[in-house]
Amino acid sequence: MKKTFIAVAAAVSAMAFTAVSCSSKKEENASVAGNTTASETVSTEETAEEVTVDAEAEENRKYMKGKAEEGVDITVQPFPECGDIPDDWKEISYESVSMRIPPEFEEEENAAHYIKKTYGKKDSFETAYIVEKMKFDNGLIKNYTYPEITEEVVANAFKELGIDYDGTPLSMYKAVLSLTSEMRTDQNAESFEQAMLAKEIFLSDSSEVFYKQINGHEVYIKKAENGSDGFWCFSAELFVNSKESYSVEVIGDTLEDALKMCSTISIS
C-alpha cells in the first residue's frame, strides 16, 4: 500500500461570493420586476450563507477553546524508558541528525522538498522522516479561528503572567509549557485566556510533550492525539539554537514501536 503522509497541515476557511452580471439599461427597464425578485432571492441566499458561516465559525471557536482548556495543564515530561533497541535496526541520517529504524523500512520518495529522508514499511502506516534545518524569525502564532491571537498579543500576555518569552521558537516551547491553570486569577483572566489559546495553537493537538537534551541540544517531542486511530504519531523538534531546528516525524503502528524509534533520535 502506497502511503501518503503530511508534514504540515493547515486548514483555511474561505467564503465564496456570488458574482451577478449587470444587464444593459434597456434590459433592466424591460424587466425591472423580475430583476427585483431575483435580487431579493440572491440577497436572501447570501444572508443565509453568512449566517451559516458565522455559526460554523462560532462552533470552531468554541471547540478550539474547549481543547485549549483541556490541554492547558500539559507540561513537559522526561522521555520514557522504552527498552532495548534490536541490533538489526539500521541508521538513517541527514546532516547532523540521525536515528535508527526497523530493518524492514525502505527508503521512499520524499513528499516535499524540505523533507530530506523518508523511510516506511510496506502495507503499514509506519514511517520516519527527517526535515531540513529551518529558521524561524516570526510567524510562530497564526490561526484563522482566532485571528486576534497575534504574536504581539501573546507576548504581552506572557509578560503579564510573568512568563519569560523572547520571540524565538525555543522560547515559545518553554513559555507555553510553563503555563498551567494555577496561574489564572480574576485580575489576569484575559491574558491567561490569550496565552492558553496560544498554547493550543502552538502545540497543535498534542496530548503529551517530552523533553531531553542530546549532546547539548534541547529536544522536544510531541505526541499527537491519535492513538485510537490505529497508529501513533510523534513530532520531534531538535534545536540547533533558539531560532533554528531540525524536525523528525515518526509514525508507529504501535506505541512501543513509535517510542523506540523516537528514543534513537540524535543530533551532534
Side-chain angles (χ1 to χ4, degrees):
M1 178 179 65
K2 181 66 179 176
K3 295 188 298 296
T4 302
F5 61 95
I6 303 170
V8 179
V12 181
S13 298
M15 183 183 295
F17 292 91
T18 304
V20 180
S21 300
C22 294
S23 58
S24 66
K25 185 69 174 177
K26 183 177 180 180
E27 289 170 334
E28 289 175 359
N29 290 338
S31 57
V32 62
N35 283 345
T36 300
T37 302
S39 176
E40 290 173 350
T41 301
V42 170
S43 177
T44 301
E45 291 174 350
E46 288 178 346
T47 301
E49 287 180 4
E50 289 174 2
V51 169
T52 301
V53 170
D54 288 345
E56 289 176 354
E58 187 58 33
E59 283 300 310
N60 289 338
R61 288 174 69 88
K62 287 180 181 178
Y63 175 78
M64 187 171 177
K65 185 176 179 181
K67 293 289 291 181
E69 290 170 343
E70 290 176 10
V72 69
D73 286 315
I74 291 175
T75 54
V76 71
Q77 306 175 52
F79 193 80
E81 295 292 331
C82 54
D84 296 331
I85 304 302
D87 293 336
D88 62 350
W89 277 32
K90 57 189 177 184
E91 182 177 288
I92 62 172
S93 64
Y94 173 72
E95 296 184 348
S96 60
V97 176
S98 65
M99 67 180 297
R100 292 177 64 189
I101 57 176
E104 61 269 24
F105 275 40
E106 299 176 354
E107 189 164 11
E108 298 181 348
E109 182 179 353
N110 294 326
H113 69 87
Y114 50 82
I115 299 176
K116 297 304 180 183
K117 292 289 182 179
T118 304
Y119 284 78
K121 187 168 72 175
K122 187 177 180 181
D123 297 327
S124 168
F125 282 110
E126 288 200 316
T127 310
Y129 62 89
I130 302 173
V131 178
E132 68 182 9
K133 181 170 64 178
M134 294 188 178
K135 182 177 182 179
F136 296 92
D137 290 312
N138 51 50
L140 298 177
I141 294 293
K142 186 175 183 180
N143 184 266
Y144 293 94
T145 303
Y146 278 93
E148 68 271 27
I149 304 299
T150 64
E151 291 189 48
E152 182 180 2
V153 166
V154 173
N156 290 333
F158 285 148
K159 184 177 181 180
E160 182 174 342
L161 294 167
I163 296 173
D164 291 333
Y165 174 61
D166 64 11
T168 64
L170 180 57
S171 178
M172 178 63 81
Y173 266 101
K174 294 177 184 295
V176 298
L177 288 167
S178 67
L179 181 74
T180 65
S181 57
E182 292 180 352
M183 294 182 175
R184 188 191 186 284
T185 66
D186 292 340
Q187 290 72 33
N188 69 19
E190 182 178 5
S191 293
F192 180 84
E193 182 169 309
Q194 292 165 343
M196 179 183 71
L197 288 166
K199 183 171 185 172
E200 172 61 22
I201 293 167
F202 191 72
L203 295 184
S204 185
D205 292 326
S206 300
S207 60
E208 294 179 274
V209 181
F210 304 104
Y211 173 84
K212 61 198 295 192
Q213 285 203 2
I214 302 173
N215 296 322
H217 297 279
E218 298 193 73
V219 176
Y220 289 87
I221 302 174
K222 297 184 292 184
K223 175 175 169 284
E225 292 182 333
N226 59 1
S228 60
D229 294 333
F231 55 91
W232 302 81
C233 296
F234 288 81
S235 175
E237 206 72 26
L238 294 77
F239 282 95
V240 177
N241 53 54
S242 62
K243 291 185 177 181
E244 295 180 299
S245 63
Y246 292 93
S247 295
V248 175
E249 306 291 327
V250 169
I251 302 175
D253 286 341
T254 68
L255 179 59
E256 181 182 13
D257 286 347
L259 284 172
K260 281 189 174 182
M261 283 189 277
C262 287
S263 74
T264 71
I265 295 171
S266 184
I267 179 171
S268 59

